[in-house]
């Protein structure tokens, strides 16, 4: 028998994430301090076992509590450009700022 835990679909920084309690997310940088908790009220769907609440567009009264574990940067992405027959070459690097978040609690 498959036992389902609580889960939710949240919208964070313009992207949707399916989360459960205890999950760790790596997302684009959020403007919160490390080791601080904050609430997300943009909850699109909440599932509790066999019951599913779908928002239109948001589930009323639902919130997800997240805590910021740390801030960092992603792996380097190399971007190379060149123009043929003119000896022009340029290589740039980019590292996207990221935050690691942990899902503390889901309230339906």
């Amino acid at each position: 028998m498959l036992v389902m835990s609580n889960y939710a679909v949240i919208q964070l920084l313009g992207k949707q994430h399916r989360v459960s309690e205890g999950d760790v997310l790596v997302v684009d940088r959020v403007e919160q301090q490390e080791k601080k908790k904050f609430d997300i009220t943009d909850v699109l769907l909440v599932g509790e076992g066999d019951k599913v609440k779908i928002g239109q567009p948001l589930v009323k009264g639902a919130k997800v509590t997240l805590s910021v574990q740390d801030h960092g940067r992603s792996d380097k992405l190399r971007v190379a450009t060149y123009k043929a027959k003119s000896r022009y070459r340029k290589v740039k690097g980019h590292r996207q700022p990221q935050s690691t978040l942990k899902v503390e609690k889901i309230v339906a």
Side-chain angles (χ1 to χ4, degrees):
M1 181 171 170
L2 181 65
V3 177
M4 301 280 294
S5 64
N6 292 355
Y7 66 93
V9 175
I10 62 171
Q11 184 166 344
L12 179 65
L13 301 171
K15 297 177 183 165
Q16 296 178 5
H17 303 277
R18 183 189 188 278
V19 296
S20 298
E21 291 184 11
D23 283 355
V24 176
L25 297 173
V26 178
V27 297
D28 291 340
R29 177 78 51 99
V30 294
E31 298 299 324
Q32 302 286 334
Q33 295 179 350
E34 289 188 25
K35 310 301 180 199
K36 296 287 183 180
K37 293 183 180 182
F38 65 100
D39 293 332
I40 297 290
T41 56
D42 291 346
V43 180
L44 306 173
L45 180 140
V46 175
E48 299 179 43
D50 294 336
K51 298 178 185 177
V52 176
K53 293 181 188 175
I54 300 173
Q56 297 174 358
L58 303 175
V59 178
K60 291 184 180 178
K63 68 178 180 178
V64 176
T65 303
L66 303 172
S67 65
V68 179
Q69 300 296 313
D70 66 339
H71 296 296
R73 297 193 333 178
S74 66
D75 294 336
K76 182 172 274 194
L77 177 71
R78 294 185 68 233
V79 180
T81 59
Y82 79 100
K83 292 184 180 178
K85 304 175 189 166
S86 65
R87 295 183 182 173
Y88 175 82
R89 286 167 175 74
K90 186 179 261 189
V91 177
K92 295 180 185 177
H94 176 74
R95 293 183 70 190
Q96 184 72 20
Q98 293 180 332
S99 297
T100 303
L101 307 176
K102 183 175 182 183
V103 180
E104 299 291 334
K105 186 167 60 167
I106 297 174
V107 177

